[in-house]
């Protein structure tokens, strides 16, 4: 007795596999994170993120032109703030001539069509490395949300297309949406980090921006009072649905690979685009294993990115974006 249906017929050669492939990666899937630093002529490799760099504004302009020519048309900006400009209230974030504001304008001047999203968070500006204002050992929620709304308006006025609050304060999406509307910035979008977990995978990113929580008395040693417990699943749906109700246009799950079940859960439940962030620790692990010869770098990169899209992500924020486009040919 022979089987009437042989699934292997559809795997016989590369041509038929290409024809029936369900998930296709393209440059349009990617959001490219970029790290910006003060100075001129600076392209500084991040030690824990091989082949990834902090860029001064002159290099930033050249980088976005290269990305555009590769078919990568969306960037997510982060800034490394000098220590002398940091304080507990993130005051520098509202500077109209601050690094983020100048970075936005640099990108738009160099490549007007580039979609610019900006990190809206206090930790790069905080003397304590937290995503909120610290008082009596606590992270203040409502005061922080109001400040993030002001920061979002500043980014939008500088030319940002989307603001991307990554802090996980309760109610901050509503505060931001109302602030943008009050300023007449009705076309500025919000990509909310809706399900951002308290993960051990963020270490290299915090190296890149020097934004890790500081170990001092009366300051929380980690971000577990606002970022989500990685054991929780239904909480992610609740957070995401609340953000959409408050005005989020795009929702994000962060990190990526260990949270693809969450990506699928959210994709099945919501009607807005879903983003996933393949974070710095995920990037660093592939780089380190490939350097040791333990993994095929290119094969693993494409497998992971495909898995993220297959799970339901419409947008993938990844440090591998340029690598992926080159591999796609």
């Amino acid at each position: 007795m022979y089987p009437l249906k042989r699934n292997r017929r559809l795997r016989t050669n590369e041509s038929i596999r290409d024809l029936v492939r369900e998930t296709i990666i393209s440059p349009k899937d990617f959001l490219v994170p970029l790290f910006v630093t003060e100075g001129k002529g600076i392209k500084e490799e991040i030690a824990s993120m091989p082949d990834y760099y902090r860029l001064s504004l002159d290099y930033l302009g050249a980088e976005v032109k290269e990305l555009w020519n590769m078919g990568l048309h969306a960037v997510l900006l982060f800034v490394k703030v000098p220590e002398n400009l940091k304080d507990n209230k993130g005051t520098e974030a509202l500077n109209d001539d601050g690094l983020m504001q100048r970075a936005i304008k640099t990108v738009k001047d160099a490549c007007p069509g580039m979609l610019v999203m900006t990190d809206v968070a206090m930790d790069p500006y905080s003397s304590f490395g937290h995503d909120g204002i610290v008082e009596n050992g606590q992270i203040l929620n409502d005061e922080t949300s109001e400040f993030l709304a002001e920061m979002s308006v500043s980014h939008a006025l500088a030319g940002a297309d989307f603001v991307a609050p990554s802090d996980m304060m309760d109610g901050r999406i509503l505060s931001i949406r109302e602030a943008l509307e009050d300023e007449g910035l009705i076309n500025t979008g919000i990509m909310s980090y809706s399900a951002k977990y308290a993960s051990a995978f963020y270490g290299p990113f915090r190296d890149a921006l020097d934004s890790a929580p500081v170990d001092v008395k009366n300051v929380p040693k980690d971000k577990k009072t606002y970022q989500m417990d990685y054991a929780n699943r239904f909480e992610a749906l609740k957070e995401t649905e609340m953000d959409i109700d408050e005005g989020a246009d795009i929702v994000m799950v962060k990190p990526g690979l260990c949270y693809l079940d969450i990506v699928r859960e959210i994709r099945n439940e919501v009607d807005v685009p879903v983003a996933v962030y393949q974070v710095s620790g995920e990037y660093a692990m592939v780089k380190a294993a490939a350097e040791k010869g333990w993994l095929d770098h290119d094969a693993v990169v494409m497998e992971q990115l495909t898995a993220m899209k297959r799970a339901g992500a419409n947008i993938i924020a990844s440090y591998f974006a340029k690598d992926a486009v080159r591999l796609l040919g």
Side-chain angles (χ1 to χ4, degrees), residues 21-25 29 257 260-261 263-265 267-268 276 302-316:
R21 184 163 292 128
E22 298 174 33
T23 305
I24 308 295
I25 294 286
D29 295 319
L257 198 61
L260 296 187
D261 59 322
V263 173
R264 172 47 59 186
E265 289 273 8
R267 176 67 286 158
N268 287 345
V276 67
M302 294 309 297
E303 183 175 348
Q304 289 191 359
L305 294 172
T306 301
M308 290 175 188
K309 187 169 182 180
R310 188 187 65 229
N314 306 100
I315 301 164
I316 304 171

Side-chain angles (χ1 to χ4, degrees), residues 124-321:
Y125 300 91
S126 170
S127 50
F128 294 129
H130 272 287
D131 292 73
I133 299 166
V134 180
E135 186 175 292
N136 298 323
Q138 303 291 320
I139 307 300
L140 301 182
N141 188 93
D142 297 354
E143 293 85 345
T144 297
S145 292
E146 291 303 316
F147 183 83
L148 296 173
E150 293 184 65
M151 190 189 306
S152 297
V153 169
S154 179
H155 291 185
L157 291 173
D161 300 292
F162 273 74
V163 293
S166 60
D167 54 286
M168 292 297 290
M169 297 296 123
D170 292 333
R172 92 276 202 208
I173 301 303
L174 181 58
S175 295
I176 292 169
R177 186 72 268 163
E178 288 181 340
L180 292 170
E181 297 291 322
D182 288 346
E183 291 291 330
L185 298 164
I186 60 173
N187 292 321
T188 303
I190 300 174
M191 181 178 71
S192 174
Y193 288 59
S194 296
K196 182 178 180 179
Y197 286 85
S199 172
F201 284 97
Y202 301 147
F205 176 93
R206 292 172 183 169
D207 291 343
L209 297 185
D210 191 21
S211 62
V214 299
D215 185 13
V216 297
K217 187 178 180 181
N218 292 327
V219 174
K221 65 179 181 180
D222 55 42
K223 302 188 177 186
K224 293 180 180 179
T225 66
Y226 45 99
Q227 293 178 358
M228 285 179 53
D229 184 339
Y230 60 70
N232 292 355
R233 168 185 161 205
F234 295 114
E235 184 182 10
L237 292 173
K238 179 175 69 174
E239 290 277 2
T240 301
E241 289 167 351
M242 289 174 66
D243 282 358
I244 293 169
D245 288 344
E246 292 178 16
D249 302 286
I250 300 170
V251 294
M252 177 187 279
V253 176
K254 182 182 180 183
L257 198 61
C258 292
Y259 299 85
L260 296 187
D261 59 322
I262 307 301
V263 173
R264 172 47 59 186
E265 289 273 8
I266 291 173
R267 176 67 286 158
N268 287 345
E269 293 295 327
V270 307
D271 296 322
V272 303
V274 177
V276 67
Y277 201 139
Q278 185 184 36
V279 299
S280 60
E282 298 171 77
Y283 175 88
M285 287 194 302
V286 173
K287 288 292 184 181
E291 184 181 352
K292 291 285 189 180
W294 295 341
L295 291 176
D296 181 327
H297 176 278
D298 295 350
V300 169
V301 166
M302 294 309 297
E303 183 175 348
Q304 289 191 359
L305 294 172
T306 301
M308 290 175 188
K309 187 169 182 180
R310 188 187 65 229
N314 306 100
I315 301 164
I316 304 171
S318 176
Y319 305 104
F320 287 120

